[in-house]
Amino acid sequence: MIRSAAALTLALATSAGAFELGLPIACTLGEDCHIQNHFDRDPGPGMADLACGHLTYNGHDGTDFALDDLAAMQAGVPVLASAPGRVTGVRDGMADIAISDPAAPPLEGRDCGNGVVIDHGNGWQTQYCHLKRGSIAVRSGDQVDTGAQLGLVGLSGNTEFPHVHIAVRKDGVALDPFAPDAATPACGAPIDGQLWATPIAYDPFGFTGAGFATAVPEWQAIKDGLPSPATLPTDTPALVFWATYFGPKQGDTLTLTITGPGGEVFRQDVAIDRTQAVAFRAGGKRTPPGGWPAGDYRGEAVLTRNGAELGRQSATLTLQ
């Protein structure tokens, strides 16, 4: 669901000495979007986000606000100006296609894809990347306010998933909007000192979707926005529950369960064997002879790290 730009405008850039940012995307963090990658705080060949975590990659100079799937991108999610200023650069016309797709054209230095640059005065600048082709709504020289629509989230440039990458610069130097004054990772993910007008909590992990299927789905189908059926026949070939998530870390435990009218019918505890940016897992059972009992079923995924629960996601289904 797309919220209005007015409802999602979080703040205006303030007077001299202070610079504040609103969200660069019309979504609700934790509901229909999430932060996939943070600014890389490691000055060397390694990588570390502001919490010394792995939600970044070497040399990443911005913050990636990601949509949950390609279906959300196709529906159209606005990219918003995070502060008032003058548009100083625009590029449009690049295709929306994952960089790993064999049909993707060469970037030729256009890693940002379709994008917009805004000058906010006093040396502050923001850049918005990977917008949808044909969606750019501003031109160079335009004056924009906080929350003004710049375009739509897309898949252009050097990217594998639909998102807007926002880079923040002061006097030409890229800064982490979560900790602009810190030279090294804070490791505690501080709230104080952020450029975000409404501080954003660091989220090390999150579920981005879940649903039922009659077989283990293909990863591409999930990335496309696989819908979960509301009903299925009791003689469906199998009952499978799947979940997608970002930020899994080696050593985590993912638990998948399915419960029905008679109680628990499936449970699987999965030891996460490698750290990843995004992943999915599915599990279930073949339909027993005579079919499943009619009624309501619930699938649930829970991830724990060092004994603490980091998130859970569920879906429901009626067999009839």
Side-chain angles (χ1 to χ4, degrees):
M1 180 170 60
I2 300 173
R3 277 74 170 176
S4 68
L8 285 160
T9 299
L10 297 184
L12 298 175
T14 59
S15 58
F19 181 67
E20 294 183 335
L21 299 169
L23 284 182
I25 181 173
C27 67
T28 301
L29 286 170
E31 292 185 14
D32 51 6
C33 66
H34 63 279
I35 295 178
Q36 180 62 58
N37 291 307
H38 288 265
F39 190 96
D40 177 21
R41 305 305 300 264
D42 189 308
M47 65 178 194
D49 62 29
L50 76 157
C52 298
H54 65 282
L55 293 181
T56 188
Y57 55 87
N58 186 36
H60 191 240
D61 68 350
T63 306
D64 292 344
F65 290 81
L67 301 180
D68 291 343
D69 51 47
L70 289 167
M73 184 194 88
Q74 296 300 341
V77 178
V79 172
L80 311 176
S82 283
R86 181 173 63 88
V87 176
T88 58
V90 170
R91 179 166 60 220
D92 202 345
M94 293 183 66
D96 293 290
I97 185 170
I99 190 62
S100 62
D101 191 316
L107 294 176
E108 298 177 338
R110 301 172 298 170
D111 287 39
C112 178
N114 304 316
V116 175
V117 177
I118 301 176
D119 184 278
H120 307 284
N122 297 317
W124 289 101
Q125 183 186 74
T126 53
Q127 182 177 16
Y128 310 78
C129 297
H130 313 304
L131 277 62
K132 184 184 290 187
R133 180 167 60 182
S135 76
I136 304 295
V138 294
R139 296 181 296 178
S140 290
D142 285 354
Q143 292 288 334
V144 296
D145 292 325
T146 302
Q149 183 168 327
L150 306 177
L152 299 174
V153 175
L155 194 66
S156 61
N158 188 8
T159 183
E160 289 285 355
F161 56 94
H163 73 285
V164 58
H165 167 105
I166 179 172
V168 181
R169 303 184 183 94
K170 179 68 165 75
D171 299 324
V173 177
L175 297 176
D176 182 357
F178 282 83
D181 297 324
T184 57
C187 295
I191 290 294
D192 295 338
Q194 294 187 13
L195 292 180
W196 304 113
T198 298
I200 300 173
Y202 173 84
D203 194 351
F205 171 87
F207 285 101
T208 56
F212 281 97
T214 58
V216 174
E218 296 290 334
W219 180 218
Q220 185 59 52
I222 291 177
K223 291 191 290 184
D224 287 343
L226 180 68
S228 181
T231 62
L232 284 172
T234 57
D235 62 351
T236 187
L239 192 58
V240 174
F241 176 69
W242 58 267
T244 58
Y245 40 92
F246 71 91
K249 187 177 180 181
Q250 185 177 8
D252 292 348
T253 298
L254 177 71
T255 300
L256 299 177
T257 58
I258 300 175
T259 56
E264 187 173 278
V265 297
F266 172 79
R267 181 184 181 92
Q268 184 180 41
D269 294 310
V270 181
I272 304 299
D273 60 1
R274 58 187 174 127
T275 297
Q276 293 179 277
V278 294
F280 92 100
R281 190 79 185 194
K285 277 189 171 183
R286 295 184 183 277
T287 299
W292 295 100
D296 295 331
Y297 288 73
R298 176 183 175 87
E300 187 169 63
V302 179
L303 186 126
T304 56
R305 179 174 296 168
N306 299 323
E309 181 181 315
L310 290 190
R312 64 175 57 219
Q313 185 86 324
S314 63
T316 58
L317 170 75
T318 298
L319 295 182
Q320 58 188 26

